[in-house]
Amino acid sequence: MTTIFGAIADDFTGATDLAGLLARSGVRVSLRMGVPDQEPTDTAAFEVIALKSRTAPVADAVAETRKALRWLQRAGAKRFFWKYCSTFDSTAEGNIGPVAEALMADLGVEQTIYCPAFPENGRAIFMGNLFVGQQPLAESPMKDHPLTPMRDSNLMRLLDPQVSKPVGLADRLTVARGAAALKSVLDTHKADGVAHVVVDAVANSDLETIAEACRDMVLMTGGSAVAMPLPALYLADGTLSADAPKATTPTLAAQSIVLSGSCSSMTNKQVATYLETGAPAYRLDPLELAENGAAPVLEWLSDQDLGQAPLVYATADPASVKAAQAKLGVAQAGEMIEQVLASCAVAARDLGARRFIAAGGETSGAITKALDVTQLDIGAEIAPGVPWCFAKSGGHQIALTLKSGNFGNEGFFTDALRKLEIA
Ligand code: ADP
């Protein structure tokens, strides 16, 4: 199958989110962890490459993205998508703008759009200002993000210092008038030399208008949601043939494991809810781990019935996390726990587990790496932005779901296991 659409995401769970929304259409979507070493073979119609470039130095982010672009071009893609966070996580240096300009230069395009809106998750753009729920971005918790504090809500002002060419807006009033009106505003901007156009969207119907107006753009940029309508549009206009391979669900043994390293408030609730089901569980204590290593939990795991989907978790409340970090160091505590959860994943696989639930962005990265998973096919969505994925690990077919901190509702772990039964 020739790839028709190639997306590059600046982080791992963001890539999963985009792949999940594209897969809602039922077409095969493939996710690669980093730029593959091998030349493209057996690629899906929709390919997503996950990078870890959100907070990398600008030059590194640009170089890695261009490498991903070349791989996607060799896979046959003619349309491209640059995916970043729906809260526009970036600094005055980048990396959203510089990466977009590098992609535009390589692709020879004069204009692209910026639409990080994700209405289902409360991200809306009005008159170029980004809202998180009812709060302007700069008043939301994102104002205090440790790496990319967002202190302005206006996307044009945020983007301007990141790019060399003019920035403009296509506002909600234009989008409300439909795809033709939006196209005409984009054309006027293009004639005026406006290369970077922020596009307002407050509801899914706006995203449909935008996708329809921009589906033939060689490069679009945004959050995941604006790409969601594209597969259906490409199917309708024949860009994607109706007999393109569909997503398939492999048959997998029921042995499962749940590994939780996120300490977000939602993951704390998810762990508590799962414990109430009476599933076997092992709580990792960072101080004890520092002393005794992974041996005790691995021994516990080897005695478990994986048919009952045991849970291993380091998830803890903010006070316990602070206490562990004060004793061990923030990075050291995090890294140690990630490595232990990754070892549990490998041990569980070797004991027969074929279904893996991972909670936590960094935790998911460590687990995927340890399982040596480099390519995933996207399956059924469990919660908005969190699909089941299918991959090969150690010669076995496995299912994996990678949930970042606050995603999913309280029953996520049970919902995920159930979803695989009915998928
Ligand atoms: P999220 O998606 O919620 O940000 P991550 O996995 O990305 O989750 O980050 C959580 C980090 O916290 C990981 O590095 C993890 O190892 C670390 N961590 C987990 N439990 C504890 C704990 N009890 N004490 C200290 N750090 C912890």
Side-chain angles (χ1 to χ4, degrees):
M1 174 75 210
T2 307
T3 298
I4 60 161
F5 180 90
I8 303 163
D10 68 353
D11 92 336
F12 186 87
T13 40
T16 319
D17 164 17
L18 170 64
L21 295 190
L22 290 170
R24 279 187 185 175
S25 62
V27 299
R28 184 175 165 227
V29 179
S30 160
L31 172 60
R32 316 266 168 180
M33 313 315 298
V35 185
D37 294 328
Q38 305 83 6
E39 282 302 297
T41 49
D42 183 32
T43 57
F46 291 78
E47 286 281 343
V48 181
I49 295 182
L51 302 181
K52 210 172 181 313
S53 59
R54 183 167 298 167
T55 54
V58 178
D60 295 357
V62 165
E64 198 58 16
T65 312
R66 295 181 68 205
K67 202 168 134 200
L69 173 68
R70 288 194 291 274
W71 191 91
L72 292 166
Q73 285 177 311
R74 290 200 297 278
K78 296 277 188 284
R79 291 172 179 78
F80 301 90
F81 192 86
W82 164 224
K83 153 79 174 77
Y84 37 81
C85 191
S86 61
T87 42
F88 213 68
D89 301 15
S90 55
T91 66
E93 282 74 49
N95 291 333
I96 295 175
V99 166
E101 284 200 327
L103 291 171
M104 289 168 83
D106 284 3
L107 291 165
V109 301
E110 291 167 23
Q111 188 183 64
T112 191
I113 61 151
Y114 295 78
C115 184
F118 193 163
E120 282 178 63
N121 280 346
R123 313 284 193 263
I125 311 166
F126 185 67
M127 298 300 161
N129 293 283
L130 182 59
F131 291 81
V132 177
Q134 296 183 343
Q135 292 174 312
L137 176 65
E139 293 169 32
S140 77
M142 281 306 295
K143 70 181 189 304
D144 300 319
H145 190 281
L147 303 175
T148 50
M150 304 307 290
R151 298 284 163 85
D152 194 342
S153 307
N154 184 286
L155 293 173
M156 285 85 78
R157 275 201 303 265
L158 287 166
L159 190 56
D160 194 58
Q162 299 185 32
V163 291
S164 62
K165 298 219 171 96
V167 177
L169 171 69
D171 70 21
R172 176 84 209 316
L173 303 177
T174 300
V175 175
R177 282 174 22 234
L182 175 56
K183 247 187 168 159
S184 128
V185 165
L186 290 173
D187 286 344
T188 308
H189 272 322
K190 197 191 264 181
D192 292 342
V194 177
H196 306 283
V197 186
V198 171
V199 185
D200 278 354
V202 299
N204 272 352
S205 55
D206 295 334
L207 298 177
E208 273 161 31
T209 303
I210 298 166
E212 195 182 331
C214 302
R215 66 180 174 195
D216 290 326
M217 270 189 159
V218 175
L219 176 69
M220 285 170 70
T221 88
S224 52
V226 72
M228 182 169 56
L230 292 173
L233 290 169
Y234 294 152
L235 269 171
D237 71 10
T239 304
L240 179 64
S241 92
D243 53 13
K246 302 276 180 288
T248 53
T249 304
T251 311
L252 295 161
Q255 277 80 357
S256 311
I257 180 123
V258 185
L259 300 160
S260 182
S262 159
C263 294
S264 71
S265 62
M266 181 46 82
T267 307
N268 269 284
K269 288 183 200 149
Q270 289 163 340
V271 165
T273 306
Y274 195 63
L275 290 174
E276 280 168 19
T277 67
Y282 189 105
R283 187 178 71 84
L284 296 172
D285 175 348
L287 300 181
E288 196 189 306
L289 279 185
E291 206 151 292
N292 302 325
V297 61
L298 293 176
E299 197 182 318
W300 177 83
L301 199 54
S302 66
D303 288 337
Q304 297 309 304
D305 171 8
L306 294 173
Q308 293 190 45
L311 162 71
V312 178
Y313 65 105
T315 305
D317 59 54
S320 321
V321 172
K322 273 222 170 75
Q325 289 173 335
K327 286 238 162 79
L328 302 169
V330 176
Q332 290 85 340
E335 169 82 0
M336 177 185 73
I337 292 164
E338 286 165 31
Q339 287 319 314
V340 171
L341 287 169
S343 312
C344 289
V346 174
R349 179 199 65 197
D350 295 343
L351 289 165
R354 297 292 176 261
R355 305 173 184 204
F356 297 77
I357 297 176
E362 294 299 324
T363 306
S364 295
I367 289 172
T368 327
K369 197 162 174 212
L371 290 173
D372 200 19
V373 165
T374 54
Q375 189 266 332
L376 302 120
D377 268 13
I378 309 303
E381 206 174 13
I382 305 157
V386 201
W388 270 109
C389 306
F390 304 108
K392 287 255 165 60
S393 172
H396 303 286
Q397 179 80 52
I398 62 164
L400 195 63
T401 184
L402 311 164
K403 186 198 82 75
S404 71
N406 278 317
F407 277 38
N409 58 21
E410 292 173 18
F412 180 84
F413 299 150
T414 310
D415 290 352
L417 293 167
R418 197 176 301 135
K419 187 98 195 178
L420 213 49
E421 289 309 322
I422 56 169

